[in-house]
Every structure is written in C-alpha cells, then in structure tokens.
Coordinates of all heavy atoms in Angstrom, one line a residue:
M12 N 144.9 65.4 122.8 CA 143.6 66.1 122.7 C 142.4 65.2 122.6 O 141.4 65.5 123.2 CB 143.7 67.1 121.5 CG 144.6 68.2 121.6 SD 144.7 69.3 120.1 CE 143.1 70.1 120.2
E13 N 142.7 64.1 122.1 CA 141.5 63.2 121.9 C 141.0 62.7 123.3 O 139.9 62.3 123.4 CB 141.9 62.0 121.0 CG 140.8 61.1 120.6 CD 139.7 61.8 119.8 OE1 140.0 62.8 119.1 OE2 138.5 61.4 120.0
K14 N 141.9 62.7 124.3 CA 141.5 62.2 125.6 C 140.3 63.1 126.1 O 139.5 62.6 126.9 CB 142.7 62.4 126.5 CG 142.4 61.9 127.9 CD 143.7 62.0 128.7 CE 143.4 61.7 130.2 NZ 144.6 61.8 131.0
Q15 N 140.2 64.3 125.7 CA 139.2 65.3 126.2 C 137.9 65.1 125.3 O 136.9 65.8 125.7 CB 139.6 66.7 126.1 CG 140.8 67.0 127.0 CD 140.4 67.0 128.4 OE1 139.2 67.3 128.8 NE2 141.3 66.6 129.3
H16 N 137.9 64.3 124.3 CA 136.8 64.3 123.4 C 135.5 64.0 124.0 O 134.5 64.6 123.7 CB 137.1 63.2 122.3 CG 136.1 63.1 121.3 ND1 136.0 64.0 120.3 CD2 135.1 62.2 121.1 CE1 135.0 63.7 119.5 NE2 134.4 62.6 119.9
N17 N 135.4 63.1 124.9 CA 134.1 62.7 125.5 C 133.8 63.4 126.9 O 133.0 63.0 127.6 CB 134.0 61.2 125.7 CG 133.9 60.5 124.4 OD1 133.3 61.0 123.5 ND2 134.6 59.4 124.2
R18 N 134.5 64.5 127.2 CA 134.3 65.1 128.4 C 133.5 66.4 128.3 O 133.5 67.2 129.2 CB 135.8 65.5 129.0 CG 136.5 64.3 129.4 CD 137.6 64.6 130.2 NE 138.3 63.4 130.6 CZ 139.3 63.4 131.4 NH1 139.9 64.5 131.8 NH2 140.0 62.2 131.6
G19 N 132.8 66.5 127.2 CA 131.8 67.6 127.1 C 132.4 69.0 126.8 O 132.0 69.9 127.3
Q20 N 133.3 69.0 125.8 CA 133.9 70.3 125.5 C 133.0 71.1 124.6 O 132.2 70.5 123.9 CB 135.3 70.1 124.8 CG 135.2 69.8 123.3 CD 135.1 68.3 123.0 OE1 135.0 67.5 123.7 NE2 135.2 68.1 121.7
D21 N 133.0 72.4 124.7 CA 132.2 73.3 124.0 C 133.1 73.8 122.8 O 132.5 74.5 121.9 CB 131.8 74.5 124.8 CG 130.5 74.2 125.6 OD1 129.8 73.2 125.3 OD2 130.3 74.8 126.6
G22 N 134.3 73.6 122.9 CA 135.2 74.1 121.8 C 136.6 73.7 122.0 O 137.0 73.1 123.1
A23 N 137.5 74.0 121.2 CA 138.9 73.6 121.2 C 139.7 74.6 120.3 O 139.2 75.3 119.5 CB 139.2 72.2 120.8
G24 N 141.0 74.6 120.5 CA 141.9 75.5 119.8 C 143.3 75.0 119.8 O 143.7 74.2 120.7
I25 N 144.1 75.4 118.9 CA 145.5 75.1 118.9 C 146.2 76.4 118.5 O 145.7 77.2 117.8 CB 145.9 73.9 117.9 CG1 145.5 74.3 116.5 CG2 145.4 72.7 118.3 CD1 146.1 73.4 115.4
A26 N 147.5 76.4 118.9 CA 148.3 77.7 118.6 C 149.7 77.1 118.4 O 150.1 76.2 119.0 CB 148.3 78.6 119.6
T27 N 150.4 77.8 117.5 CA 151.8 77.4 117.2 C 152.6 78.7 117.2 O 152.2 79.7 116.6 CB 152.0 76.8 115.8 OG1 151.2 75.6 115.7 CG2 153.4 76.4 115.5
L28 N 153.7 78.6 117.9 CA 154.7 79.7 118.0 C 156.0 79.2 117.2 O 156.5 78.2 117.5 CB 155.1 80.1 119.4 CG 156.1 81.2 119.6 CD1 155.6 82.5 119.1 CD2 156.5 81.2 121.1
K29 N 156.4 80.1 116.2 CA 157.5 79.7 115.5 C 158.7 80.6 116.0 O 158.6 81.8 116.1 CB 157.4 80.0 114.0 CG 156.2 79.1 113.4 CD 156.0 79.4 112.0 CE 154.8 78.6 111.5 NZ 155.1 77.9 110.2
L30 N 159.8 80.0 116.2 CA 161.1 80.7 116.7 C 162.0 81.0 115.5 O 161.9 80.3 114.5 CB 161.8 79.8 117.8 CG 160.9 79.4 118.9 CD1 161.7 78.6 119.9 CD2 160.3 80.6 119.7
N31 N 162.8 82.0 115.7 CA 163.8 82.4 114.7 C 163.2 82.7 113.3 O 163.7 82.2 112.3 CB 164.9 81.4 114.6 CG 165.5 81.1 116.0 OD1 165.8 82.1 116.7 ND2 165.8 79.9 116.3
V32 N 162.1 83.4 113.3 CA 161.4 83.7 112.0 C 162.0 85.0 111.5 O 162.3 85.9 112.2 CB 159.9 83.9 112.2 CG1 159.2 84.2 111.0 CG2 159.3 82.6 112.7
E33 N 162.1 85.0 110.2 CA 162.6 86.3 109.5 C 161.7 87.4 109.8 O 160.5 87.3 109.9 CB 162.8 86.1 108.0 CG 163.8 85.0 107.6 CD 165.2 85.4 107.9 OE1 165.4 86.7 107.7 OE2 166.0 84.7 108.3
P34 N 162.2 88.7 109.9 CA 161.3 89.8 110.1 C 160.3 89.9 109.0 O 160.6 89.7 107.8 CB 162.3 91.0 110.0 CG 163.7 90.4 110.5 CD 163.6 89.0 110.0
G35 N 159.1 90.3 109.4 CA 158.0 90.5 108.4 C 157.2 89.2 108.1 O 156.2 89.2 107.5
H36 N 157.6 88.1 108.7 CA 156.8 86.8 108.5 C 156.1 86.5 109.8 O 156.6 86.8 110.9 CB 157.8 85.6 108.2 CG 158.4 85.7 106.9 ND1 159.5 86.5 106.6 CD2 157.9 85.2 105.7 CE1 159.7 86.4 105.3 NE2 158.8 85.6 104.7
Q37 N 155.0 85.9 109.7 CA 154.1 85.6 110.9 C 154.8 84.5 111.7 O 155.2 83.5 111.2 CB 152.7 85.2 110.4 CG 151.7 85.2 111.5 CD 150.3 85.1 111.0 OE1 150.1 85.1 109.8 NE2 149.4 85.0 111.9
F38 N 154.8 84.8 113.0 CA 155.5 83.8 114.0 C 154.4 83.1 114.9 O 154.7 82.1 115.6 CB 156.5 84.5 114.8 CG 156.0 85.5 115.7 CD1 155.6 85.2 117.0 CD2 155.8 86.8 115.2 CE1 155.1 86.2 117.8 CE2 155.3 87.8 116.1 CZ 154.9 87.5 117.4
L39 N 153.1 83.6 114.9 CA 152.1 83.0 115.7 C 150.9 82.7 114.9 O 150.4 83.6 114.2 CB 151.8 84.0 116.9 CG 150.7 83.6 117.9 CD1 151.2 82.3 118.7 CD2 150.4 84.7 118.8
H40 N 150.4 81.5 115.0 CA 149.2 81.1 114.4 C 148.3 80.4 115.4 O 148.7 79.7 116.3 CB 149.5 80.1 113.3 CG 150.3 80.6 112.2 ND1 149.9 81.3 111.1 CD2 151.7 80.6 112.0 CE1 150.9 81.7 110.3 NE2 152.0 81.3 110.8
R41 N 147.0 80.7 115.3 CA 146.0 80.0 116.1 C 144.8 79.7 115.4 O 144.4 80.3 114.4 CB 145.7 80.8 117.3 CG 144.9 82.0 117.1 CD 144.7 82.8 118.3 NE 143.7 83.9 118.0 CZ 143.1 84.6 118.9 NH1 143.3 84.4 120.2 NH2 142.4 85.6 118.5
L42 N 144.0 78.7 115.8 CA 142.8 78.3 115.3 C 141.9 77.9 116.4 O 142.2 77.0 117.3 CB 143.1 77.0 114.4 CG 141.8 76.4 113.7 CD1 141.1 77.4 112.8 CD2 142.2 75.1 113.0
R43 N 140.7 78.5 116.5 CA 139.8 78.2 117.5 C 138.5 77.8 116.8 O 138.0 78.4 115.9 CB 139.5 79.4 118.4 CG 140.7 79.8 119.2 CD 140.5 81.0 120.1 NE 140.1 82.1 119.3 CZ 139.6 83.3 119.8 NH1 139.5 83.4 121.1 NH2 139.3 84.3 119.0
I44 N 137.8 76.8 117.3 CA 136.6 76.2 116.8 C 135.7 75.9 118.0 O 136.1 75.3 118.9 CB 136.8 75.0 115.9 CG1 137.6 75.4 114.7 CG2 135.5 74.4 115.4 CD1 137.9 74.3 113.7
S45 N 134.5 76.3 117.8 CA 133.5 76.0 118.9 C 132.6 74.9 118.4 O 132.3 74.8 117.2 CB 132.6 77.3 119.4 OG 131.9 77.7 118.2
G46 N 132.0 74.2 119.3 CA 131.0 73.1 118.9 C 131.5 71.7 119.4 O 132.7 71.6 119.8
P47 N 130.6 70.8 119.4 CA 130.9 69.5 119.9 C 132.0 68.7 119.1 O 132.7 67.8 119.6 CB 129.6 68.7 119.8 CG 128.8 69.4 118.9 CD 129.2 70.9 118.9
N48 N 132.2 69.1 117.8 CA 133.2 68.4 117.0 C 134.5 69.2 116.8 O 135.1 69.1 115.7 CB 132.6 68.0 115.6 CG 131.4 67.0 115.7 OD1 131.5 66.1 116.6 ND2 130.4 67.2 115.0
A49 N 134.7 70.1 117.7 CA 135.8 71.0 117.5 C 137.2 70.3 117.3 O 137.9 70.7 116.4 CB 135.9 72.0 118.7
I50 N 137.4 69.3 118.1 CA 138.7 68.6 118.0 C 138.9 68.0 116.6 O 139.9 68.2 115.9 CB 138.9 67.5 119.0 CG1 138.9 68.1 120.5 CG2 140.2 66.7 118.9 CD1 138.7 67.2 121.6
S51 N 137.9 67.3 116.1 CA 138.1 66.6 114.7 C 138.1 67.7 113.7 O 138.9 67.6 112.7 CB 136.9 65.7 114.5 OG 135.7 66.4 114.5
Q52 N 137.4 68.8 113.8 CA 137.5 69.9 112.8 C 138.9 70.5 112.8 O 139.4 70.8 111.7 CB 136.4 71.0 113.1 CG 135.0 70.5 112.8 CD 134.0 71.6 113.1 OE1 134.3 72.6 113.5 NE2 132.7 71.2 113.0
I53 N 139.5 70.7 114.0 CA 140.8 71.3 114.0 C 141.8 70.3 113.3 O 142.6 70.8 112.4 CB 141.3 71.5 115.5 CG1 140.6 72.7 116.0 CG2 142.8 71.7 115.5 CD1 140.8 72.9 117.5
F54 N 141.8 69.0 113.6 CA 142.7 68.1 112.9 C 142.4 68.0 111.4 O 143.3 67.8 110.6 CB 142.7 66.8 113.6 CG 143.5 66.8 114.8 CD1 142.9 66.7 116.1 CD2 144.9 66.8 114.8 CE1 143.6 66.8 117.2 CE2 145.7 66.8 116.0 CZ 145.0 66.8 117.2
Q55 N 141.1 68.1 111.0 CA 140.8 68.1 109.5 C 141.4 69.3 108.9 O 142.0 69.1 107.8 CB 139.3 68.1 109.4 CG 138.6 66.8 109.6 CD 137.1 66.9 109.6 OE1 136.5 67.9 109.3 NE2 136.4 65.8 109.9
N56 N 141.4 70.4 109.5 CA 141.9 71.7 108.9 C 143.5 71.5 108.7 O 144.0 71.9 107.8 CB 141.6 72.9 109.8 CG 140.3 73.3 109.7 OD1 139.5 72.9 108.8 ND2 139.9 74.3 110.6
V57 N 144.1 71.0 109.8 CA 145.6 70.9 109.7 C 145.9 69.8 108.7 O 146.8 70.1 107.8 CB 146.1 70.4 111.2 CG1 147.6 70.1 111.0 CG2 145.9 71.6 112.1
H58 N 145.2 68.7 108.6 CA 145.5 67.7 107.6 C 145.2 68.2 106.2 O 146.0 67.9 105.3 CB 144.7 66.4 107.9 CG 145.2 65.6 109.1 ND1 146.3 64.9 109.0 CD2 144.7 65.4 110.3 CE1 146.5 64.2 110.2 NE2 145.6 64.6 110.9
Q59 N 144.2 69.0 106.0 CA 143.9 69.5 104.7 C 145.0 70.5 104.3 O 145.4 70.5 103.1 CB 142.6 70.3 104.7 CG 142.1 70.8 103.4 CD 141.9 69.6 102.4 OE1 141.2 68.6 102.8 NE2 142.4 69.7 101.3
E60 N 145.6 71.3 105.2 CA 146.7 72.2 104.9 C 147.8 71.3 104.4 O 148.6 71.7 103.4 CB 147.0 73.0 106.1 CG 148.0 74.1 105.8 CD 148.2 75.0 106.9 OE1 147.3 75.2 107.8 OE2 149.4 75.6 107.1
V61 N 148.1 70.2 105.1 CA 149.3 69.4 104.7 C 149.0 68.8 103.3 O 149.9 68.7 102.5 CB 149.5 68.3 105.8 CG1 150.6 67.3 105.3 CG2 150.0 68.9 107.1
N62 N 147.8 68.2 103.1 CA 147.5 67.6 101.8 C 147.6 68.6 100.7 O 148.1 68.3 99.6 CB 146.1 67.0 101.9 CG 146.0 65.8 102.8 OD1 147.0 65.1 103.1 ND2 144.9 65.5 103.3
D63 N 147.1 69.8 100.9 CA 147.2 70.8 99.8 C 148.7 71.2 99.5 O 149.0 71.3 98.3 CB 146.4 72.2 100.3 CG 144.9 71.9 100.3 OD1 144.4 70.9 99.8 OD2 144.3 72.8 101.0
L64 N 149.5 71.2 100.5 CA 150.9 71.5 100.3 C 151.6 70.4 99.5 O 152.3 70.6 98.6 CB 151.6 71.8 101.6 CG 153.0 72.1 101.6 CD1 153.3 73.4 100.8 CD2 153.7 72.2 102.9
E65 N 151.1 69.2 99.8 CA 151.7 68.0 99.2 C 151.3 67.9 97.7 O 152.1 67.5 96.9 CB 151.3 66.7 99.9 CG 152.4 66.1 100.7 CD 152.0 64.7 101.1 OE1 150.8 64.5 101.6 OE2 152.8 63.8 101.1
K66 N 150.1 68.4 97.4 CA 149.7 68.4 96.0 C 150.5 69.4 95.2 O 150.8 69.1 94.0 CB 148.2 68.8 95.9 CG 147.3 67.7 96.3 CD 145.8 68.2 96.3 CE 144.9 67.2 96.9 NZ 143.5 67.7 96.9
M67 N 150.9 70.6 95.8 CA 151.7 71.5 95.1 C 153.2 71.1 95.0 O 153.9 71.4 94.1 CB 151.7 72.9 95.7 CG 150.3 73.5 95.7 SD 150.2 75.3 96.2 CE 151.0 75.2 97.8
Y68 N 153.7 70.5 96.1 CA 155.1 70.1 96.3 C 155.1 68.6 96.7 O 155.2 68.3 97.9 CB 155.8 71.0 97.2 CG 155.8 72.5 97.0 CD1 154.9 73.3 97.7 CD2 156.5 73.0 95.9 CE1 154.8 74.6 97.4 CE2 156.4 74.3 95.6 CZ 155.6 75.1 96.4 OH 155.5 76.5 96.1
P69 N 155.0 67.6 95.8 CA 155.0 66.2 96.2 C 156.2 65.8 97.1 O 156.0 64.8 97.9 CB 154.9 65.5 94.9 CG 154.5 66.5 93.9 CD 154.9 67.8 94.4
E70 N 157.3 66.4 96.9 CA 158.5 65.9 97.7 C 158.7 66.7 99.0 O 159.7 66.5 99.7 CB 159.7 66.1 96.8 CG 159.6 65.4 95.4 CD 159.7 63.9 95.6 OE1 160.5 63.4 96.4 OE2 158.9 63.2 94.8
I71 N 157.8 67.5 99.4 CA 158.0 68.4 100.5 C 158.2 67.7 101.8 O 159.0 68.1 102.7 CB 156.8 69.4 100.7 CG1 157.1 70.5 101.7 CG2 155.6 68.7 101.2 CD1 158.0 71.5 101.2
K72 N 157.7 66.5 102.1 CA 157.9 65.8 103.3 C 159.3 65.2 103.4 O 159.7 64.9 104.5 CB 156.8 64.6 103.4 CG 155.5 65.1 103.8 CD 154.6 63.9 104.2 CE 153.2 64.4 104.6 NZ 152.3 63.2 104.9
Q73 N 160.0 65.2 102.3 CA 161.4 64.8 102.4 C 162.3 65.8 102.8 O 163.5 65.7 103.0 CB 161.9 64.2 101.0 CG 161.1 62.9 100.6 CD 161.5 62.4 99.3 OE1 162.4 62.9 98.6 NE2 160.8 61.4 98.8
H74 N 161.8 67.0 103.0 CA 162.6 68.2 103.4 C 161.8 68.9 104.6 O 161.2 70.0 104.4 CB 162.7 69.3 102.3 CG 163.2 68.6 101.0 ND1 164.5 68.3 100.8 CD2 162.6 68.1 99.9 CE1 164.8 67.8 99.7 NE2 163.5 67.6 99.0
P75 N 162.0 68.3 105.8 CA 161.3 68.8 106.9 C 161.6 70.2 107.3 O 160.7 71.0 107.9 CB 161.6 67.8 108.1 CG 162.6 67.0 107.5 CD 162.7 67.1 106.1
G76 N 162.8 70.7 107.0 CA 163.2 72.0 107.3 C 162.3 73.1 106.5 O 162.1 74.2 107.0
L77 N 161.8 72.8 105.4 CA 161.0 73.6 104.6 C 159.5 73.7 105.1 O 158.8 74.7 104.9 CB 161.0 73.3 103.2 CG 162.3 73.3 102.4 CD1 162.1 72.7 101.0 CD2 162.7 74.7 102.4
L78 N 159.1 72.6 105.7 CA 157.7 72.5 106.2 C 157.3 73.7 107.1 O 156.2 74.3 107.0 CB 157.4 71.3 106.9 CG 157.4 70.0 106.0 CD1 157.3 68.7 106.8 CD2 156.2 70.1 105.1
K79 N 158.2 74.1 108.0 CA 157.9 75.2 108.9 C 157.6 76.5 108.2 O 156.7 77.3 108.6 CB 159.1 75.4 109.8 CG 158.9 76.6 110.8 CD 160.2 76.8 111.6 CE 160.2 78.1 112.4 NZ 161.4 78.3 113.2
G80 N 158.2 76.7 107.0 CA 157.8 77.9 106.3 C 156.6 77.9 105.5 O 156.0 79.0 105.2
Y81 N 156.0 76.7 105.3 CA 154.8 76.6 104.5 C 153.6 76.2 105.3 O 152.5 76.5 104.9 CB 155.0 75.5 103.5 CG 155.9 75.9 102.3 CD1 157.3 75.5 102.3 CD2 155.4 76.6 101.2 CE1 158.1 75.9 101.2 CE2 156.2 77.1 100.2 CZ 157.6 76.6 100.1 OH 158.4 77.1 99.1
L82 N 153.7 75.6 106.5 CA 152.6 75.1 107.2 C 152.4 76.0 108.4 O 153.4 76.3 109.2 CB 152.8 73.7 107.7 CG 152.9 72.7 106.6 CD1 153.2 71.2 107.2 CD2 151.5 72.6 105.8
R83 N 151.2 76.5 108.7 CA 150.9 77.4 109.8 C 151.1 76.7 111.1 O 151.6 77.3 112.0 CB 149.4 77.9 109.7 CG 149.1 78.7 108.6 CD 147.7 79.2 108.5 NE 146.8 78.0 108.5 CZ 145.6 78.0 109.0 NH1 145.1 79.1 109.5 NH2 144.8 76.9 108.9
F84 N 150.8 75.4 111.2 CA 150.9 74.8 112.5 C 152.0 73.8 112.6 O 152.0 72.8 113.2 CB 149.5 74.1 112.8 CG 148.5 75.1 112.8 CD1 147.5 75.2 111.8 CD2 148.2 75.9 114.0 CE1 146.5 76.1 111.8 CE2 147.3 76.8 114.0 CZ 146.4 77.0 113.0
M85 N 153.2 74.3 112.0 CA 154.4 73.6 112.2 C 155.4 74.6 112.8 O 155.7 75.7 112.2 CB 155.0 73.1 110.8 CG 156.4 72.6 110.9 SD 156.4 70.9 111.6 CE 156.2 69.9 110.2
G86 N 155.7 74.4 114.1 CA 156.6 75.3 114.8 C 157.2 74.6 116.0 O 157.1 73.4 116.2
E87 N 157.9 75.5 116.8 CA 158.6 74.9 117.9 C 157.8 74.8 119.2 O 158.0 73.9 120.1 CB 159.8 75.8 118.3 CG 161.0 75.6 117.2 CD 160.7 76.4 115.9 OE1 159.9 77.3 115.9 OE2 161.4 76.1 115.0
V88 N 156.8 75.7 119.3 CA 155.9 75.6 120.6 C 154.4 75.4 120.1 O 153.9 76.1 119.3 CB 156.0 77.0 121.3 CG1 155.1 76.9 122.6 CG2 157.5 77.2 121.7
L89 N 153.9 74.3 120.6 CA 152.5 73.9 120.3 C 151.7 74.0 121.5 O 152.1 73.4 122.5 CB 152.4 72.6 119.6 CG 153.4 72.3 118.4 CD1 153.4 70.9 118.0 CD2 152.9 73.2 117.3
V90 N 150.4 74.5 121.4 CA 149.6 74.6 122.6 C 148.2 74.2 122.1 O 147.7 74.5 121.1 CB 149.4 76.1 123.1 CG1 148.5 76.2 124.2 CG2 150.8 76.6 123.5
G91 N 147.5 73.4 123.0 CA 146.2 73.0 122.7 C 145.3 73.4 123.8 O 145.7 73.6 124.9
H92 N 144.0 73.7 123.6 CA 143.1 74.3 124.5 C 141.7 73.8 124.3 O 141.3 73.6 123.2 CB 143.1 75.9 124.4 CG 142.0 76.4 125.2 ND1 142.0 76.6 126.6 CD2 140.8 77.0 124.9 CE1 140.9 77.1 127.1 NE2 140.1 77.4 126.0
F93 N 141.1 73.5 125.4 CA 139.7 73.1 125.3 C 138.8 74.0 126.2 O 139.2 74.4 127.2 CB 139.5 71.6 126.0 CG 140.4 70.6 125.3 CD1 141.7 70.3 125.9 CD2 140.0 70.0 124.2 CE1 142.5 69.4 125.3 CE2 140.9 69.1 123.6 CZ 142.1 68.8 124.1
A94 N 137.6 74.3 125.7 CA 136.6 75.1 126.5 C 135.6 74.0 126.9 O 134.8 73.4 126.1 CB 136.0 76.1 125.6
L95 N 135.5 73.7 128.2 CA 134.6 72.7 128.7 C 133.3 73.3 129.1 O 133.3 74.4 129.7 CB 135.2 72.0 129.9 CG 136.6 71.2 129.6 CD1 137.2 70.7 130.9 CD2 136.4 70.1 128.5
R96 N 132.3 72.5 129.0 CA 131.0 72.9 129.4 C 130.9 72.9 130.9 O 131.4 72.0 131.5 CB 129.9 71.9 128.9 CG 129.1 72.4 127.8 CD 128.1 71.5 127.3 NE 128.7 70.8 126.2 CZ 128.5 69.5 125.9 NH1 127.9 68.7 126.7 NH2 129.1 69.0 124.8
H97 N 130.3 73.9 131.5 CA 130.2 73.8 133.0 C 128.6 73.7 133.3 O 127.9 74.5 132.8 CB 130.7 75.2 133.6 CG 132.1 75.4 133.3 ND1 133.1 74.7 134.0 CD2 132.8 76.2 132.5 CE1 134.3 75.1 133.6 NE2 134.1 75.9 132.7
T98 N 128.3 72.7 134.1 CA 127.0 72.5 134.5 C 126.7 73.0 135.8 O 127.6 72.9 136.7 CB 126.6 71.0 134.4 OG1 127.4 70.2 135.2 CG2 126.6 70.5 132.9
R99 N 125.6 73.6 136.1 CA 125.3 74.0 137.4 C 124.8 72.8 138.2 O 124.1 71.9 137.6 CB 124.2 75.0 137.4 CG 124.7 76.3 136.6 CD 123.6 77.4 136.7 NE 124.1 78.6 136.1 CZ 123.5 79.2 135.1 NH1 122.3 78.8 134.7 NH2 124.0 80.3 134.6
P100 N 124.9 72.8 139.6 CA 124.4 71.6 140.4 C 123.0 71.3 140.1 O 122.6 70.1 140.2 CB 124.7 72.1 141.8 CG 125.8 73.1 141.7 CD 125.6 73.8 140.3
E101 N 122.2 72.3 139.9 CA 120.7 72.1 139.7 C 120.4 71.4 138.4 O 119.3 70.8 138.2 CB 119.9 73.3 139.8 CG 120.2 74.4 138.8 CD 121.3 75.4 139.3 OE1 122.0 75.2 140.3 OE2 121.4 76.5 138.6
Q102 N 121.4 71.4 137.5 CA 121.2 70.8 136.1 C 121.6 69.2 136.2 O 121.4 68.5 135.3 CB 122.1 71.4 135.1 CG 121.6 72.8 134.8 CD 122.5 73.5 133.8 OE1 123.6 73.2 133.7 NE2 121.9 74.5 133.1
C103 N 122.3 68.9 137.3 CA 122.7 67.5 137.4 C 121.6 66.5 137.8 O 120.7 66.8 138.5 CB 123.9 67.4 138.3 SG 125.3 68.3 137.8

C-alpha cells in the first residue's frame, strides 16, 4: 500500500474476510478513511488494535490461532483499496 502513498490518493481502505466463522460472529470487516494521510491512519488503527489486545492479553502473540477471533483485520482474505485523485487536462 505504501507504494501508492505519493501518487495523490484521496483515500484508502482495507477489508478482511474471515472464513469458517461460527454463526452469529462477524466475518467481514472494513475500514475506509479519506484524506491525504489515509494509508498511515489505517495502519495506525490496526496497530492500535493489536497494541490494545496485547495490553489485555500479553501472551496473545504466542497463540496466533486466537488472534483471528480478537482482531478485526486478521483473516484469510485481505483487500486494500485506494481512491486516487483525478485531474482534468485543463488543470495540468
């Protein structure tokens, strides 16, 4: 995602699809942010979620199978998206 950082994006987003989820549990999560710092804000949100979980369960990283149940953006299918600015020829 960082490759797109300097290409003039207006926003970005990520989505995670979790497979084999128990009935009644959420299997799709997404986060969309607009603005020039969208990529860094997305990663800050994800890192904050991991840090908060580690504060509650310090040993959680030693049990990767449990992470999927606790973290929104831990799953089998990951998608990233960028909304790029479009300039008109007369603006160039």
Side-chain angles (χ1 to χ4, degrees):
M12 287 178 74
E13 190 60 32
K14 182 179 178 182
Q15 295 292 331
H16 183 76
N17 292 323
R18 294 193 178 181
Q20 83 272 5
D21 281 338
I25 60 171
T27 303
L28 178 66
K29 298 178 184 230
L30 305 177
N31 303 318
V32 176
E33 295 290 324
H36 289 82
Q37 194 169 354
F38 64 92
L39 178 66
H40 297 274
R41 70 178 186 170
L42 175 63
R43 297 182 298 174
I44 296 178
S45 62
N48 296 324
I50 296 171
S51 62
Q52 288 177 5
I53 286 173
F54 282 106
Q55 285 174 4
N56 286 351
V57 172
H58 286 288
Q59 187 62 48
E60 188 173 332
V61 172
N62 291 338
D63 291 345
L64 182 62
E65 254 188 318
K66 287 177 186 175
M67 291 190 310
Y68 305 105
E70 305 290 322
I71 192 75
K72 284 188 177 178
Q73 295 177 6
H74 307 282
L77 294 175
L78 288 172
K79 179 181 165 184
Y81 286 99
L82 296 174
R83 294 179 303 153
F84 298 104
M85 173 74 92
E87 288 79 17
V88 180
L89 306 173
V90 178
H92 169 72
F93 304 97
L95 298 177
R96 260 182 256 142
H97 298 286
T98 57
R99 294 185 179 129
E101 63 269 11
Q102 292 177 335
C103 296

